């Protein structure tokens, strides 16, 4: 009888349809489960049959993202993360994403530490951990990031409620090429040690909305670093020793020093090529340079980098001595192809500062201007810009200018005045002018666009755009 039953089972297997989804190989089933976009949803497929029981536990990617019902019940989300990581069976994981930005309560440090330890042991690719952006509802805790030797990218949003993010004292992030840390308090010595010594392959570093636990200097020393976004409060001075840097963004930094390559090292690198050596001694070219908030760092940067593909200035200009400091700091702008201006003026007219920057950037090919949201306060009595007549445009030559992009236009009087002032600059009529109307504005007052066209040079090509259906469309 046993032999007969065995024959019947074999016969049923032969007659079973070949198109059953459970007959597909694991790699195909993994591809199907990844499209669910959620590790808990993938784990729930284990109830389908014994074939599906452990398929999800070998997925190369685990994604945990809070949704509406998890927002109402955060413990459900936390338990699903813990349960999935405990039951995960593969020895390595290509990527782990845990996003809890909308969860309404702080996650204890002990729980987050378990997730980070799992990542340090299993993740051989990408790690993203976004913790709730909520204030602490009790005593703040410290959170420690362990060494992740095989992880290529780390994106860590610490949120609020943690007193400090501790970094490992020993070990190397040997495979790490990208590190992004947001909303964390960190010790300057920890930061320097990890960046300078424990990340030998680091290419991209973003430190955003961060703060040092105490006011201190910070040195960023890396031969491999190409892109740096530095926004760290309590930094008294930033020292850059990054010979391969290509893109640099500085915010909330009031003093900066740049370490130039030594002459002997440059000769060894260039093998005596006189022209290249001379160019290196004069400075270096950046693809992208952003300076936000404080213009005091401008002279050092302008001396060191002799050319920038795209220069973005998001500066705050005040009246009186503040305006004079702004003039001195931006007196010698480096040569750039694209100039982006997004200024805030305090008790000082906007137009003189804008025209001053344009005047100092005569060789630009493209000018991008973000108009101020509100009308600027008038200058204080006796302001420097009024005495020098700096709103004159007849001495501004823009021979190389090909395009002007004006953003956030609302049609208000102060916006119209700024646009007309730019259009009065010499040689600008040969450029392509694009005015992007503010997405927050439904429509302009009747005739505003036409009045600007009428007052411009007849050959000026002006186009007004409005944001519709996810893209810029011509405004009729």
């Amino acid at each position: 009888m046993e032999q007969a039953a065995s024959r019947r089972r074999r016969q049923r297997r032969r007659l079973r349809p070949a198109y059953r989804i459970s007959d597909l190989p694991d790699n195909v089933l993994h591809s199907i489960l990844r499209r669910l976009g959620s590790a808990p949803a993938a784990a729930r497929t284990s109830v389908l049959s014994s074939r599906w029981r452990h398929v999800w536990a070998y997925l190369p990617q685990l994604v945990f993202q809070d949704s509406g019902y998890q927002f109402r019940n955060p413990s459900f989300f936390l338990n699903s993360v813990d349960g999935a990581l405990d039951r995960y069976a593969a020895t390595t994981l290509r990527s782990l994403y845990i996003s809890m930005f909308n969860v309404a309560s702080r996650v204890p440090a002990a729980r987050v530490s378990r997730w980070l330890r799992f990542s340090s042991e299993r993740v051989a690719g990408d790690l993203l951990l976004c913790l709730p952006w909520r204030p602490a509802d009790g005593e703040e805790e410290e959170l420690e990031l362990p060494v992740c030797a095989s992880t290529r990218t780390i994106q860590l949003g610490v949120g609020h409620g943690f007193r400090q993010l501790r970094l490992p004292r020993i070990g190397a992030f040997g495979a790490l090429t990208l590190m992004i840390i947001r909303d964390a308090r960190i010790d300057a010595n920890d930061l320097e040690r990890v960046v300078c010594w424990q990340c030998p392959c680091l290419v991209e570093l973003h430190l955003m909305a961060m703060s040092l636990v105490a006011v201190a200097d910070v040195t960023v020393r890396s031969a491999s670093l190409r892109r740096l976004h530095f926004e760290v409060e309590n930094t008294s001075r930033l020292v850059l020793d990054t010979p391969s840097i290509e893109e640099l963004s500085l915010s909330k930094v009031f003093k900066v020093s740049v370490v130039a390559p030594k002459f002997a090292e440059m000769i060894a690198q260039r093998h005596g090529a006189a022209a290249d050596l001379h160019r290196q001694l004069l400075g270096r070219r950046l693809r992208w340079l952003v300076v936000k908030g404080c213009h005091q760092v401008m002279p050092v940067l302008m001396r060191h980098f002799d050319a920038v593909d795209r220069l973005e200035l998001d500066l705050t200009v005040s009246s009186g001595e503040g305006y004079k400091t702004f003039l001195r700091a931006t007196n010698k702008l480096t040569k750039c192809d694209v100039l982006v201006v997004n200024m805030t003026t305090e008790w000082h007219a906007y137009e003189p500062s804008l025209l001053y920057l344009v005047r100092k950037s005569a060789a630009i090919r493209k000018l991008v201007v973000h108009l101020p949201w509100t009308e600027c306060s008038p200058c204080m009595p006796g302001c420097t810009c009024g005495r020098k007549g700096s709103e004159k445009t007849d001495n501004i030559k823009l021979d190389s200018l090909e395009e002007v992009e004006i953003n956030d236009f609302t049609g208000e009087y102060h916006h119209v005045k700024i646009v007309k002032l730019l259009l009065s600059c010499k040689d600008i009529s040969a450029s392509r002018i694009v005015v992007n109307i503010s997405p927050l504005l439904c429509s302009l007052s009747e005739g505003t666009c036409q009045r600007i066209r009428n007052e411009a040079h007849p050959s000026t090509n002006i186009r007004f755009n409005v944001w519709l259906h996810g893209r810029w469309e011509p405004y009729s």
Side-chain angles (χ1 to χ4, degrees):
M1 291 184 63
E2 290 183 1
Q3 293 179 351
S6 177
R7 283 197 300 271
R8 285 195 296 271
R9 285 196 295 269
R10 288 197 298 270
Q11 186 177 14
R12 283 198 298 269
R13 281 198 293 269
R14 286 196 298 269
L15 296 176
R16 189 170 59 186
Y19 56 79
R20 280 180 40 148
I21 192 172
S22 295
D23 292 333
L24 296 172
D26 282 0
N27 62 330
V28 178
L29 296 182
H30 289 163
S31 179
I32 295 172
L33 294 181
R34 283 202 303 270
R35 284 166 170 77
L36 295 176
S38 168
R44 286 194 290 272
T45 62
S46 60
V47 303
L48 295 176
S49 69
S50 58
R51 169 73 175 91
W52 288 80
R53 188 169 299 162
H54 302 293
V55 173
W56 73 270
Y58 291 88
L59 278 171
Q61 179 185 53
L62 293 180
V63 178
F64 304 90
Q65 188 166 5
D66 53 333
S67 59
Y69 69 90
Q70 292 157 347
F71 177 82
R72 293 190 296 270
N73 186 7
S75 61
F76 180 87
F77 178 80
L78 301 178
N79 292 335
S80 67
V81 176
D82 289 340
L85 297 186
D86 289 342
R87 292 170 177 79
Y88 189 73
T91 56
T92 59
L93 180 63
R94 192 164 62 204
S95 54
L96 173 63
Y97 300 143
I98 305 176
S99 176
M100 333 176 32
F101 188 80
N102 293 317
V103 171
S105 60
R106 185 172 65 90
V107 185
R111 205 160 195 170
V112 180
S113 297
R114 289 198 300 269
W115 302 346
L116 291 174
R117 282 197 300 271
F118 174 90
S119 303
S120 67
E121 298 167 358
R122 304 284 190 93
V123 177
D126 307 319
L127 167 64
L128 183 147
L129 176 59
C130 180
L131 298 176
W133 197 76
R134 305 291 176 188
D137 51 1
E139 184 179 356
E140 292 182 331
E141 300 177 284
E142 290 188 353
L143 181 65
E144 184 172 351
L145 175 67
V147 171
C148 303
S150 302
T151 307
R152 293 194 306 268
T153 70
I154 294 177
Q155 300 182 55
L156 182 59
V158 178
H160 298 281
F162 292 99
R163 181 170 61 251
Q164 184 176 343
L165 174 65
R166 293 283 188 181
L167 300 180
R169 293 185 175 275
I170 58 174
F173 296 79
L176 192 66
T177 59
L178 167 67
M179 177 183 284
I180 300 176
I181 304 179
R182 298 174 181 267
D183 302 310
R185 300 181 73 243
I186 198 168
D187 182 77
N189 293 328
D190 281 0
L191 178 61
E192 289 184 349
R193 182 181 64 253
V194 168
V195 174
C196 300
W197 307 111
Q198 295 176 249
C199 298
C201 301
L202 192 63
V203 174
E204 195 165 344
L205 175 63
H206 298 259
L207 305 172
M208 295 176 287
M210 291 182 57
S211 175
L212 300 179
V213 295
V215 177
D217 293 354
V218 174
T219 298
V220 175
R221 181 181 297 110
S222 173
S224 60
L225 194 65
R226 296 182 183 179
R227 289 174 286 279
L228 172 63
H229 184 136
F230 192 90
E231 183 186 347
V232 184
E233 291 185 357
N234 290 337
T235 302
S236 55
R237 184 179 67 160
L238 175 63
V239 180
L240 295 174
D241 187 358
T242 51
S244 301
I245 197 74
E246 297 175 357
E247 300 178 5
L248 176 62
S249 176
L250 300 179
S251 180
K252 300 179 181 179
V253 177
F254 295 88
K255 192 173 182 181
V256 64
S257 299
V258 180
V259 179
K262 294 180 180 179
F263 184 80
E265 294 175 351
M266 294 171 63
I267 291 178
Q269 292 172 1
R270 291 292 174 177
H271 306 289
D276 287 341
L277 179 60
H278 179 67
R279 181 178 62 82
Q280 287 283 335
L281 290 173
L282 289 177
R284 291 181 296 173
R285 187 181 189 96
L286 283 178
R287 286 206 301 246
W288 183 58
L289 174 61
V290 181
V291 181
K292 294 185 178 181
C294 199
H295 47 256
Q296 283 89 330
V297 300
M298 293 289 293
V300 173
L301 298 175
M302 296 301 99
R303 285 197 303 270
H304 187 73
F305 301 109
D306 63 335
V308 179
D309 291 346
R310 183 181 179 92
L311 175 61
E312 297 188 20
L313 302 180
D314 189 350
L315 306 177
T316 300
V317 183
S318 56
S319 60
E321 289 300 320
Y323 181 66
K324 294 179 182 179
T325 303
F326 163 76
L327 295 181
R328 289 193 295 268
T330 56
N331 182 48
K332 293 183 179 179
L333 291 183
T334 188
K335 181 182 177 183
C336 61
D337 293 331
V338 180
L339 174 65
V340 182
V341 180
N342 187 10
M343 287 189 305
T344 301
T345 55
E346 300 174 347
W347 290 102
H348 180 73
Y350 177 88
E351 294 83 356
S353 303
L354 173 62
L355 293 180
Y356 182 80
L357 294 177
V358 174
R359 191 178 292 110
K360 293 296 179 178
S361 309
I364 56 174
R365 291 187 301 103
K366 181 177 180 179
L367 172 65
V368 180
V369 177
H370 293 270
L371 298 175
W373 284 101
T374 58
E375 186 173 3
C376 303
S377 304
C379 294
M380 300 292 286
C383 183
T384 306
C385 71
R387 291 199 305 269
K388 293 186 176 181
S390 55
E391 288 195 19
K392 293 183 178 180
T393 59
D394 53 358
N395 61 343
I396 299 179
K397 295 183 179 180
L398 301 170
D399 301 333
S400 304
L401 192 63
E402 299 174 1
E403 182 178 354
V404 178
E405 178 183 316
I406 302 172
N407 295 292
D408 306 318
F409 182 73
T410 62
E412 297 181 51
Y413 170 77
H414 62 287
H415 281 187
V416 174
K417 179 183 177 183
I418 295 171
V419 173
K420 289 181 178 180
L421 201 60
L422 287 173
L423 294 178
S424 65
C425 294
K426 188 176 181 180
D427 300 324
I428 203 171
S429 60
S431 307
R432 176 174 172 264
I433 315 296
V434 178
V435 181
N436 293 324
I437 299 169
S438 171
L440 302 178
L441 194 68
C442 296
S443 62
L444 293 176
S445 58
E446 186 176 354
T448 299
C449 300
Q450 190 57 45
R451 284 196 298 272
I452 293 177
R453 289 191 177 100
N454 292 340
E455 295 192 23
H457 191 276
S459 63
T460 304
N461 178 18
I462 307 178
R463 189 181 74 188
F464 289 85
N465 290 336
V466 64
W467 187 256
L468 288 175
H469 310 299
R471 62 180 181 179
W472 292 106
E473 298 283 357
Y475 182 77
S476 56

